Amino acid sequence: MLLTIALGLWGIRRKNTMWGDESVTYQLAHRDLSQIWLTAQHVDLVHALHYAVMHEIFGLFGAGLLSLRLPSVLAMSAAASAVGLLGLRLAGPRVGLLAGLVFPLLPQVQKYTQEGRSYAMVCALVAWATYALVVGVTRHARWRWAVYGCTMLLACLLHEFAVLALVAHGVALVVSRVSRPVLRAWGVTAASVVAGLLPLAVRSAEQSAQVSWIDVPVRLRQRPGTKVLGLHNGHHWR
């Protein structure tokens, strides 16, 4: 956790610049909750919960680059602790320590640690849901499955693609040959998560036109004497 926080705080302001999607979070989080909800009815419903969370954070700590990105730093540090605990529980102290230390060094982890979007929060929730799943398998109790389900549902509400972690969890349980009661408990919990996500998924699917223009990954071609500062919606600024 400390390593992740230290790396996340290092250069967190990036010379007081933000990229396109971060600016969307910054602008929408300044609006009232009613305005955020009204906007989400027409566009970006999939990120509405994140905007609402950031609105409250801005209200408590003020609006700025630090307030925009610090939640991601703290969330990714929580994810790092979950990764370490998973390694400890599944393979022992040495693996847990190495997993927890290597995780914050991954380039993609460092990227999202300093990004004012929902991805670090989703990562933390999925990581802790996975830990709750492992504990629930060995210590079968209804309240543990409830913790797993609520954590996964919150992750999915922050970003719908987190539901794919349910598939990974299911495959892991099948490969591990857990008992039928455990599989049944996971199945009921997973179905509940999907049911809770379904209204958001159906409604947000109606807004798919906002990203339908994306065809292939955009690769920038930098002309001599120019400096690429950011990329958003296929356009770049110098």
Side-chain angles (χ1 to χ4, degrees):
M1 288 182 69
L2 292 177
L3 177 60
T4 308
I5 291 174
L7 292 175
L9 292 178
W10 182 23
I12 190 172
R13 294 184 185 276
R14 300 182 195 168
K15 299 182 179 179
N16 293 319
T17 62
M18 66 177 68
W19 75 293
D21 281 3
E22 280 187 311
S23 68
V24 175
T25 302
Y26 187 82
Q27 293 173 35
L28 282 176
H30 276 84
R31 302 182 182 183
D32 294 335
L33 291 178
S34 59
Q35 294 175 323
I36 293 175
W37 178 244
L38 183 62
T39 302
Q41 299 304 301
H42 304 283
V43 66
D44 229 6
L45 179 62
V46 68
H47 295 297
L49 178 57
H50 177 63
Y51 298 144
V53 170
M54 293 306 300
H55 170 81
E56 297 300 327
I57 291 175
F58 281 2
L60 290 173
F61 303 105
L65 282 175
L66 192 60
S67 298
L68 177 67
R69 292 172 178 155
L70 189 57
S72 293
V73 175
L74 298 177
M76 201 62 86
S77 69
S81 68
V83 170
L85 286 173
L86 278 168
L88 171 65
R89 192 171 189 89
L90 294 174
R94 182 176 298 179
V95 172
L97 178 62
L98 290 176
L101 291 176
V102 169
F103 178 79
L105 300 179
L106 299 175
Q108 288 297 99
V109 171
Q110 292 188 7
K111 171 185 175 181
Y112 293 119
T113 299
Q114 287 190 342
E115 185 169 299
R117 297 293 280 173
S118 64
Y119 308 117
M121 297 181 187
V122 174
C123 181
L125 288 168
V126 170
W128 277 103
T130 305
Y131 183 75
L133 174 66
V134 172
V135 174
V137 168
T138 55
R139 299 178 183 177
H140 191 56
R142 289 185 178 180
W143 72 267
R144 295 183 186 277
W145 288 106
V147 170
Y148 166 70
C150 290
T151 307
M152 273 303 308
L153 179 58
L154 183 56
C156 293
L157 293 177
L158 277 172
H159 201 292
E160 294 174 14
F161 284 166
V163 74
L164 297 176
L166 281 177
V167 180
H169 291 162
V171 171
L173 292 178
V174 171
V175 171
S176 301
R177 297 180 180 180
V178 297
S179 63
R180 286 190 176 183
V182 170
L183 276 178
R184 189 181 304 112
W186 173 84
V188 171
T189 307
S192 300
V193 172
V194 172
L197 175 63
L198 195 57
L200 174 64
V202 172
R203 185 68 180 87
S204 62
E206 299 173 2
Q207 300 178 354
S208 60
Q210 64 182 323
V211 291
S212 61
W213 57 269
I214 299 177
D215 185 17
V216 296
V218 178
R219 185 174 182 179
L220 300 181
R221 293 183 179 181
Q222 184 176 354
R223 293 197 296 269
T226 64
K227 183 179 181 181
V228 176
L229 298 180
L231 171 67
H232 180 56
N233 290 348
H235 302 286
H236 56 275
W237 292 269
R238 298 181 179 86

